[in-house]
Amino acid sequence: MTVTGTALGQSPLPADIAAIIDGAARDALSQTRRDRQVDGQLRAAGLPPGVAPADATYTGDLMGAAVVEAIARRPDLIRPIVAQAIDVIPEARQGVVSNATAAFPGFAGTIRSAAGISPATTPAPMTPSPAIAVTPAPAPVSAPPRTTDTAVRSTESPRAATLAAVGEDDPWEGFNRGVFAVNDVVDRYLLAPIATGYGWIMPDPAQRAVRNLFANAMSPVVFANDLLQFEFRDAGITLSRLIANSTMGIGGLFDVASDMGLPAHQADFGQTLYSHGVESGPYLVLPLLGPSTVRDGVGLGVDMLLHPFPYFLPTPVNMGITGGRTVVRREELIEPLDELRESSLDYYAALRSAWRQDRTVRLHKGQPADTRNVNEIFDKME
């Protein structure tokens, strides 16, 4: 296994995202050394090797799982995340592409392009490593999940998660398509041009500072939902991030908390309801706000009530903050959404499936859902 010179600590990605990729690279390197040591000891004793060094299959699956987790946190960084993972361990290319496209089929073209693979080319199936017992399955085999302090929830059945992922739970499709059409017009002729101009005018460091500022402003909402989910360790991290970034980070312009070992995470009231067993309800497209579900739509309203700004800032200022956050978020998604629009025959269905995939991973705190049938659906649409 090769770990290149750009590995471990030299990533251009944000600190919390780079830590995920670096952690997977270290795990793979450590496993390779352990396996080689065991084989050397067996050979020295005159015995046949008992395990094979961690090969491209194991390494690819391990790095692929890390890439899925990283994309779930920052979908706007799909290209640099995939490119960095492959740059760190070139042998992991196939596993990274297989796992990432399975988890986010709506962005398969972006993922393959970032990996240097033609969008029309599908990576060949990987041969399981003799060191790892793998049961053949139609979907790429995910590496063992990275150990975290937050347990992955599974209150929804695998079938329900899969139906949600592919967007089949859409009984109000006629209404949703009507709202989607209006939203799309507003996006094409107003929001997207403003976001594009913002991205063109603002240098990258300034854009990062603005993203940090808005993320820091949302910390009270994240903190409240951490508490409501009984994730007290996460709540402590969120509060520490808020204090550190608001003081040393000059109001949140700089994410000094990540450099201090306090990685960012997301928490909203829709996620809180999910953690307490509330079903998602039908898919719902909200005017101007876009894809959601009944549960997440209610959660969005509660999050607005949880935010402290509306209680002590004038309404015009709050409207300006909301508009600014919307433009910044839209600028992050310009390239992925443009590629999704161009690569799908039915943009509504493609965006619905892509949103479902992203939301399911977020609800599972970084773990992808069972999506073995999703690629088939996207193949028919492309």
Side-chain angles (χ1 to χ4, degrees):
M1 183 185 70
T2 304
V3 178
T4 69
T6 57
L8 311 185
Q10 301 181 37
S11 172
L13 296 168
D16 58 325
I17 302 301
I20 298 173
I21 303 302
D22 287 354
R26 286 191 172 93
D27 290 347
L29 184 60
S30 177
Q31 185 63 48
T32 299
R33 288 170 177 167
R34 284 196 299 268
D35 289 349
R36 286 175 177 167
Q37 184 178 16
V38 170
D39 277 359
Q41 291 171 347
L42 291 172
R43 284 193 171 92
L47 299 173
V51 293
D55 62 4
T57 301
Y58 179 92
T59 302
D61 287 339
L62 188 65
M63 187 61 78
V67 166
V68 169
E69 180 183 348
I71 292 175
R73 294 191 185 188
R74 289 294 302 272
D76 56 300
L77 297 178
I78 290 179
R79 282 186 177 276
I81 287 171
V82 172
Q84 176 66 14
I86 294 172
D87 193 36
V88 169
I89 302 181
E91 293 94 330
R93 182 190 308 272
Q94 192 169 315
V96 166
V97 173
S98 297
N99 281 273
T101 54
F104 304 100
F107 301 118
T110 302
I111 292 166
R112 290 174 181 147
S113 174
I117 299 174
S118 168
T121 304
T122 301
M126 299 174 67
T127 304
S129 165
I132 307 169
V134 178
T135 302
V141 179
S142 295
R146 293 169 52 80
T147 302
T148 63
D149 295 289
T150 305
V152 176
R153 301 177 180 82
S154 57
T155 57
E156 292 181 353
S157 67
R159 173 172 170 74
T162 302
L163 288 175
V166 300
E168 291 181 14
D169 186 16
D170 190 3
W172 303 332
E173 184 170 347
F175 169 80
N176 285 334
R177 283 186 179 271
V179 176
F180 175 81
V182 174
N183 287 352
D184 192 41
V185 170
V186 174
D187 181 67
R188 279 175 180 264
Y189 297 104
L190 179 63
L191 185 56
I194 292 174
T196 301
Y198 164 81
W200 184 76
I201 293 171
M202 293 283 281
D204 288 343
Q207 290 187 43
R208 282 196 300 273
V210 173
R211 284 197 298 267
N212 291 337
L213 185 67
F214 283 128
N216 192 61
M218 289 299 295
S219 293
V221 178
V222 176
F223 175 72
N225 281 291
D226 285 337
L227 293 177
L228 292 171
Q229 294 172 30
F230 309 126
E231 298 288 357
F232 300 116
R233 183 177 185 277
D234 283 352
I237 292 175
T238 301
L239 183 59
S240 299
R241 284 182 54 83
L242 176 60
I243 294 172
N245 287 341
S246 298
T247 54
M248 293 181 288
I250 313 178
L253 289 173
F254 301 97
D255 185 10
V256 297
S258 292
D259 296 332
M260 297 167 60
L262 298 169
H265 65 273
Q266 293 184 332
D268 56 66
F269 196 73
Q271 188 186 75
T272 298
L273 292 174
Y274 167 76
S275 73
H276 294 295
V278 177
E279 296 293 330
S280 70
Y283 179 73
L284 177 65
V285 179
L286 299 173
L288 301 181
L289 300 176
S292 186
T293 62
V294 172
R295 178 186 63 203
D296 289 341
V298 172
L300 182 61
V302 174
D303 285 336
M304 291 179 181
L305 295 175
L306 291 174
H307 205 292
F309 282 6
Y311 299 104
F312 62 86
L313 290 179
T315 299
V317 175
N318 278 300
M319 292 178 64
I321 292 173
T322 300
R325 288 184 64 241
T326 302
V327 170
V328 169
R329 180 59 176 160
R330 184 62 182 89
E331 192 280 331
E332 293 173 354
L333 296 175
I334 283 176
E335 187 174 319
L337 289 183
D338 284 351
E339 290 193 10
L340 185 63
R341 188 196 302 271
E342 293 171 4
S343 65
S344 1
L345 295 178
D346 186 347
Y347 182 43
Y348 168 84
L351 185 60
R352 177 184 61 190
S353 292
W355 180 85
R356 283 287 198 178
Q357 283 294 302
D358 177 72
R359 186 59 180 163
T360 301
V361 173
R362 289 176 187 273
L363 291 174
H364 290 170
K365 299 294 184 79
Q367 296 299 314
D370 180 4
T371 59
R372 286 173 287 183
N373 298 322
V374 176
N375 283 338
E376 243 177 66
I377 294 172
F378 271 86
D379 288 342
K380 292 177 182 177
M381 290 191 297
E382 290 179 352

